[in-house]
Amino acid sequence: MKQPSSSATELKKKDLKHMVSMKDFTKEETDEMFELMDILKDARRENAVPQLFKNKTVAMIFEAGSTRTRVSFEAAATLLGGHAQFLSPRDIHLGAKESIEDTARVLSRMTDIIMARTNNPETIDELTKHATVPVINGLDTRYHPTQMLADLYTIKEHMPAGKNLQDLTLAFMGDATDVCRSLLLTCTKYGMKFKQIGPQKYHMEQEWLDIADEICEETGGSYEITDDVEQVKECDVVYGDSFYWTTQLEEKDERLAAFMPDYVITDELMKKAKPGALLLHCLPANDQEEVTREALEGPYSVAFDEAENRLTAQMAILVYFTHKYIKEPDRETLDHFENKAKSFLKKL
Ligand code: CP
């Protein structure tokens, strides 16, 4: 007979939900996250962030480097009264000396939510399969949902009065990166128009377009994949990302030759877009490559508001995914255990 568990945590959580891709959330759920972001951003302005993650821990697994994702999750946990643990493959056994399954099960008994940036999407899938706390994808080769939440929120903050996200067209300039794929699925899920504008060789793979087709059928969103830079004329948002990733350094020269100068976000290109168009960039930016410094600092650029909204998003994510499982102790229970521990310690 299997021994009953002695865990002090709830191992079978009701309605446990992970955040792997924004396409897994309804518009209503995303709207709820936006509303929570509004409240927590206003609270941060007043230095009055409610302690909704008090004494809680987020385990942050980073197989790859990060500035925004790491710092925003860590700062969000602190602001909400909790703690973040940074875990690189040098610090834990992840997949090397211990299976992902066992890591997921152990972290779930000691922390309240797991955030992971992984080199292999199977790691995220394995974590979600075995964790008994929410798992947040902090970027894999398919999706970057925490970036997407901050991006749509930033667009909402800056879009013209009277407009809705569904009225907007977003142009992603360049390669079919993980951010580009995420934007295709997130924008169409939200009923927006999405365009990838880049050389044909680097267009989005069919498997992602097939997923987008299903989403568009459900939401009325649409997409277009083109090499025609002039199409930026129809766009309300122009989005930049690196033309090559750190794992593609051997292709760097070939890629730069394919993308530059036509697909670089310049002041001239921004002036071709719709009046009032915004420039977003997930950062880090190579400001002599995919975007000029002049454009990044231009009046239309909201790239640094977007970066700060990674923190707004992470505060909302920590609360949204854990609040159902956080038990608020009452004063009487707290006093009971404090008195019990103190009486015991006096005897030592
Ligand atoms: N945009 C983004 O994810 O930034 P980091 O790689 O610095 O986390």
Side-chain angles (χ1 to χ4, degrees):
M1 197 181 86
K2 191 171 164 53
Q3 289 289 332
S5 168
S6 69
S7 177
T9 69
E10 174 57 61
L11 296 177
K12 289 200 189 329
K13 290 187 179 61
K14 204 166 167 280
D15 303 327
L16 181 64
K17 186 131 190 155
H18 305 295
M19 187 186 212
V20 176
S21 164
M22 283 304 290
K23 76 175 169 50
D24 303 333
F25 296 93
T26 62
K27 183 179 168 299
E28 288 68 33
E29 287 170 323
T30 310
D31 282 342
E32 286 168 358
M33 287 187 246
F34 287 150
E35 212 167 320
L36 196 49
M37 287 170 77
D38 279 340
I39 296 167
L40 295 172
K41 186 164 184 175
D42 284 347
R44 184 169 164 246
R45 277 198 185 93
E46 301 298 327
N47 192 24
V49 176
Q51 303 297 279
L52 298 171
F53 197 64
K54 190 170 173 219
N55 296 335
K56 300 294 162 194
T57 302
V58 51
M60 307 190 303
I61 298 171
F62 277 98
E63 290 191 315
S66 163
T67 299
R68 278 143 290 274
T69 309
R70 175 179 174 178
V71 176
S72 57
F73 265 106
E74 201 160 330
T78 305
L79 282 163
L80 292 160
H83 174 67
Q85 279 185 347
F86 174 77
L87 308 167
S88 80
R90 278 197 323 193
D91 308 308
I92 56 171
H93 302 301
L94 189 76
K97 281 204 239 153
E98 185 170 41
S99 67
I100 310 288
E101 170 174 352
D102 287 359
T103 303
R105 291 173 59 188
V106 171
L107 291 182
S108 297
R109 283 173 177 245
M110 297 179 182
T111 69
D112 302 279
I113 184 166
I114 299 169
M115 193 289 306
R117 170 169 288 192
T118 61
N119 291 327
N120 182 350
E122 282 165 21
T123 306
I124 277 289
D125 294 340
E126 196 68 0
L127 286 170
T128 56
K129 203 160 137 198
H130 300 289
T132 55
V133 295
V135 174
I136 309 299
N137 182 359
L139 173 65
D140 63 17
T141 50
R142 307 164 299 183
Y143 310 119
H144 199 356
T146 67
Q147 177 77 54
M148 296 301 106
L149 192 63
D151 290 351
L152 288 196
Y153 185 81
T154 307
I155 296 169
K156 268 164 65 69
E157 282 185 322
H158 290 277
M159 69 191 177
K163 285 251 183 194
N164 294 308
L165 283 173
Q166 292 89 320
D167 304 326
L168 305 183
T169 302
L170 180 146
F172 180 93
M173 303 298 298
D175 183 21
T177 59
D178 41 49
V179 169
C180 180
R181 288 184 199 124
S182 286
L183 282 167
L184 166 74
L185 304 186
T186 306
C187 291
T188 51
K189 182 84 192 191
Y190 229 85
M192 295 168 67
K193 286 196 189 116
F194 171 85
K195 287 178 193 276
Q196 182 196 358
I197 305 181
Q200 208 165 10
K201 181 173 175 195
Y202 298 96
H203 282 176
M204 189 78 68
E205 304 88 340
Q206 191 57 44
E207 63 178 294
W208 300 99
L209 301 181
D210 291 342
I211 302 173
D213 284 337
E214 279 175 31
I215 294 175
C216 291
E217 209 161 293
E218 173 203 331
T219 63
S222 63
Y223 68 82
E224 193 170 345
I225 312 294
T226 177
D227 57 5
D228 179 9
V229 179
E230 293 305 312
Q231 295 223 13
V232 81
K233 278 192 215 130
E234 296 162 22
C235 297
D236 305 274
V237 181
V238 180
Y239 197 110
D241 189 5
S242 178
F243 289 148
Y244 56 92
W245 190 232
T246 47
T247 51
Q248 296 166 324
L249 288 179
E250 73 288 354
E251 295 173 36
K252 179 178 167 182
D253 292 344
E254 186 191 339
R255 283 174 164 268
L256 291 184
F259 290 108
M260 294 174 76
D262 291 357
Y263 302 100
V264 177
I265 303 175
T266 59
D267 186 54
E268 200 188 346
L269 183 110
M270 287 307 300
K271 284 179 180 150
K272 278 190 193 168
K274 274 193 189 167
L278 302 172
L279 162 55
L280 270 77
H281 191 303
C282 53
L283 305 181
N286 306 293
D287 63 6
Q288 297 307 323
E289 295 174 1
E290 76 274 3
V291 63
T292 61
R293 180 51 56 177
E294 184 189 20
L296 201 58
E297 302 292 353
Y300 34 72
S301 173
V302 292
F304 289 92
D305 281 352
E306 178 190 5
E308 185 182 326
N309 276 333
R310 300 295 307 280
L311 171 56
T312 316
Q314 319 311 22
M315 286 195 290
I317 289 166
L318 290 179
V319 174
Y320 189 81
F321 287 87
T322 61
H323 74 102
K324 275 190 270 178
Y325 314 117
I326 292 183
K327 198 159 55 177
E328 287 277 348
D330 56 40
R331 191 66 254 165
E332 198 183 327
T333 313
L334 284 169
D335 288 347
H336 167 75
F337 284 106
E338 188 173 334
N339 292 337
K340 197 169 174 181
K342 280 183 178 165
S343 316
F344 168 72
L345 292 171
K346 259 193 214 152
K347 289 191 256 162
L348 301 183

